[in-house]
C-alpha cells in the first residue's frame, strides 16, 4: 500500500480540523448535550468513517478497504468498552454533566496522540522483527483471559486502577477538591492549583494508555498498514464523546460485552500467531523456516468480529430486559 507524504499530511489536517470544529461548535460553551444532538453527531461521525472506508476501497482496492473496516469495527467496539470506564471515572470524581464534554474531548485528543506514538513504535518493530507477531498474539490471548476473569466485577477492578493513577497524580501536583467552572487550573490566595477536572483528564489519559496496549496489537492483527491503523483509530475515537451521552444508561445493559471483546481479542491473537508461523524466522521453530499453516482472511475476520458483536449485544439487551421485568 503506497501512501504518499501528502496523503498523510492531508489526512492529519482533516482529523485535526474535525477535532477543532468539535471543540468550538460543541464544547467551548459548557452544556449538557441533548439526546437529539448526541444522536445526530454520532451518526455524522460514523458516516464520515464509513465514507473514508469507501475512499480507501476505491483508492487502494478491496483488500485494504476490508482491512480498514475490520480495524474500525474492532476499535469502535473497544472504544465502547472504554465508555464504561469513563462513566466510572466521571461518577467517582462527581464531574458536573455540563463540564464532562470538555474533559472527554481533551482526553480523546490525548488518546489519539499517544496511540499515534504506539502505532509508530509498532510499525517499526514489525518492520524490523517478524517475530513481534508472536508477542502481539500471545499478549492478546493473555489479555482475553484477563478480561474474562475480570468480567464478573469490572467496576471494582477499574476503581482500583483509577485510584492508583489518582494517587500518583496528586502526589506530584498541588490540587484542590472543588471545581472552578470548566477550568483545569485555578488560583487560590495567589497560588496555582490543579482542579479535579485536570485530575480527571490525567486519569482518562493514563487509562487510555492501558487500553492502547490492547487495541494497537489487536488492529495490527487485522492490517499491517500504519496508515490504516492510524485512521481506523482516529475515526473510532471521533464521535466517542457524543456516543458517551447517547448511550448513557444503555452501557449497564451491555452485560456480555466483555465476553464478546475477549473472544475477539483471542481470535485476533490466534490470527497473529498463525501469521507469525507463516512468516517464521526463529531458529528454534521449524529450523527457522516458515511453517505452512492456514491464515485467516480479512473477510473471515470481519465476519467473526461482526457476528460476535451482534450476538453479544442482542443477548445483553434481551437478558437485561428480562431481568428488569423480574
Amino acid at each position: 500500500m503506497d501512501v504518499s507524504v501528502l496523503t498523510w499530511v492531508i489526512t492529519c489536517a482533516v482529523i485535526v480540523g474535525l477535532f477543532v470544529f468539535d471543540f468550538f461548535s460543541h464544547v467551548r460553551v459548557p452544556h449538557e448535550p441533548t439526546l437529539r444532538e448526541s444522536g445526530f453527531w454520532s451518526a455524522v461521525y460514523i458516516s464520515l468513517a464509513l465514507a473514508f472506508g469507501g475512499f480507501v476501497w476505491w483508492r487502494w482496492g478491496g483488500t485494504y478497504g476490508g482491512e480498514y473496516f475490520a480495524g474500525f469495527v474492532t476499535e469502535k467496539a473497544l472504544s465502547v468498552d472504554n465508555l464504561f470506564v469513563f462513566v466510572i471515572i466521571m461518577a467517582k470524581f462527581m464531574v458536573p454533566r455540563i463540564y464532562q464534554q470538555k474533559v472527554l474531548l481533551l482526553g480523546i485528543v490525548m488518546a489519539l496522540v499517544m496511540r499515534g506514538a504506539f502505532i509508530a513504535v509498532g510499525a517499526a518493530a514489525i518492520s524490523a522483527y517478524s517475530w513481534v507477531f508472536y508477542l502481539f498474539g500471545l499478549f492478546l490471548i493473555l489479555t482475553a483471559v484477563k478480561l474474562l476473569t475480570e468480567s464478573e466485577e469490572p467496576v471494582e477492578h477499574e476503581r482500583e486502577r483509577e485510584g492508583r493513577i489518582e494517587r500518583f497524580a496528586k502526589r506530584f501536583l498541588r490540587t484542590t477538591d472543588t471545581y472552578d467552572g470548566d477550568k483545569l487550573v485555578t488560583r487560590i490566595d495567589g497560588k496555582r492549583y490543579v482542579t479535579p477536572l485536570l485530575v480527571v483528564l490525567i486519569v482518562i489519559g493514563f487509562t487510555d494508555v492501558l487500553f492502547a496496549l490492547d487495541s494497537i496489537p489487536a488492529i495490527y492483527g487485522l492490517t499491517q498498514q500504519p496508515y490504516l491503523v492510524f485512521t481506523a483509530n482516529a475515526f473510532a475515537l471521533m464521535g466517542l464523546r457524543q456516543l458517551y451521552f447517547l448511550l448513557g444508561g444503555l452501557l449497564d445493559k451491555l452485560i456480555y460485552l466483555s465476553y464478546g471483546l475477549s473472544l475477539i481479542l483471542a481470535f485476533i491473537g490466534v490470527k497473529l500467531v498463525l501469521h507469525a508461523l507463516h512468516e517464521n524466522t526463529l531458529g528454534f521453530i521449524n529450523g527457522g523456516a516458515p511453517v505452512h499453516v492456514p491464515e485467516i482472511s480479512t473477510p473471515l475476520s470481519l465476519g467473526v468480529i461482526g457476528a460476535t458483536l451482534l450476538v453479544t449485544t442482542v443477548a445483553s439487551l434481551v437478558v437485561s430486559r428480562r431481568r428488569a421485568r423480574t
Side-chain angles (χ1 to χ4, degrees):
M1 182 179 183
D2 183 24
V3 182
S4 66
V5 175
L6 179 61
T7 301
W8 270 102
V9 171
I10 293 174
T11 302
C12 292
V14 170
I15 290 171
V16 170
L18 287 171
F19 277 113
V20 171
F21 166 78
D22 203 11
F23 177 81
F24 282 100
S25 61
H26 300 109
V27 177
R28 190 178 184 184
V29 178
H31 71 285
E32 181 179 349
T34 63
L35 189 65
R36 181 179 180 180
E37 176 186 340
S38 299
F40 174 77
W41 285 106
S42 292
V44 167
Y45 283 115
I46 290 175
S47 298
L48 286 174
L50 297 178
F52 180 80
F55 166 74
V56 171
W57 198 296
W58 169 78
R59 177 66 179 80
W60 289 285
T63 298
Y64 293 122
E67 290 180 1
Y68 165 80
F69 282 116
F72 170 73
V73 171
T74 300
E75 292 299 320
K76 199 67 175 179
L78 291 170
S79 297
V80 171
D81 195 45
N82 293 9
L83 293 182
F84 179 75
V85 178
F86 292 166
V87 169
I88 297 174
I89 294 173
M90 296 296 183
K92 174 181 172 58
F93 287 93
M94 294 181 289
V95 182
R97 294 277 289 181
I98 61 172
Y99 305 139
Q100 290 182 8
Q101 287 204 98
K102 181 176 182 178
V103 73
L104 282 171
L105 182 62
L106 293 178
I108 290 168
V109 172
M110 286 176 56
L112 184 57
V113 172
M114 290 185 289
R115 289 189 184 201
F118 276 101
I119 290 167
V121 171
I126 289 171
S127 177
Y129 310 104
S130 61
W131 51 262
V132 169
F133 287 109
Y134 284 115
L135 296 181
F136 280 2
L138 292 174
F139 178 76
L140 287 180
I141 293 171
L142 292 175
T143 301
V145 174
K146 183 175 180 290
L147 190 60
L148 276 178
T149 59
E150 293 182 354
S151 60
E152 296 298 326
E153 296 180 353
V155 175
E156 292 303 319
H157 287 286
E158 292 303 333
R159 282 177 177 167
E160 290 176 9
R161 180 185 299 169
E162 300 353 314
R164 289 194 295 269
I165 299 173
E166 178 190 359
R167 289 191 296 270
F168 177 81
K170 288 186 175 181
R171 183 178 178 182
F172 297 97
L173 298 173
R174 183 189 300 163
T175 62
T176 177
D177 294 328
T178 57
Y179 288 92
D180 185 7
D182 64 345
K183 294 181 180 178
L184 302 178
V185 179
T186 188
R187 282 186 177 274
I188 301 177
D189 297 329
K191 296 181 179 180
R192 288 182 179 273
Y193 285 83
V194 168
T195 69
L197 207 62
L198 182 54
V199 177
V200 173
L201 183 58
I202 293 172
V203 172
I204 288 177
F206 273 92
T207 299
D208 195 79
V209 171
L210 301 177
F211 281 124
L213 293 176
D214 302 338
S215 64
I216 300 304
I219 193 170
Y220 267 120
L222 300 169
T223 177
Q224 282 83 58
Q225 303 298 325
Y227 182 74
L228 298 183
V229 173
F230 175 74
T231 51
N233 268 273
F235 280 106
L237 289 173
M238 217 173 289
L240 194 60
R241 175 184 60 80
Q242 291 87 348
L243 199 60
Y244 171 88
F245 291 98
L246 178 64
L247 295 180
L250 184 62
L251 290 173
D252 293 334
K253 298 180 181 180
L254 299 177
I255 55 178
Y256 296 132
L257 179 61
S258 293
Y259 295 101
L261 291 177
S262 63
L263 178 60
I264 290 172
L265 291 178
F267 170 78
I268 298 175
V270 171
K271 184 178 187 294
L272 278 168
V273 171
L274 291 175
H275 180 75
L277 289 170
H278 188 75
E279 302 289 334
N280 179 61
T281 57
L282 296 179
F284 59 87
I285 298 178
N286 198 34
V291 181
H292 297 291
V293 293
E295 287 208 78
I296 300 173
S297 66
T298 298
L300 178 58
S301 299
L302 188 56
V304 170
I305 293 167
T308 302
L309 292 175
L310 178 62
V311 170
T312 52
T313 300
V314 172
S316 295
L317 296 178
V318 170
V319 173
S320 296
R321 181 176 296 180
R322 287 179 180 176
R323 289 180 180 178
R325 291 175 179 174
T326 58

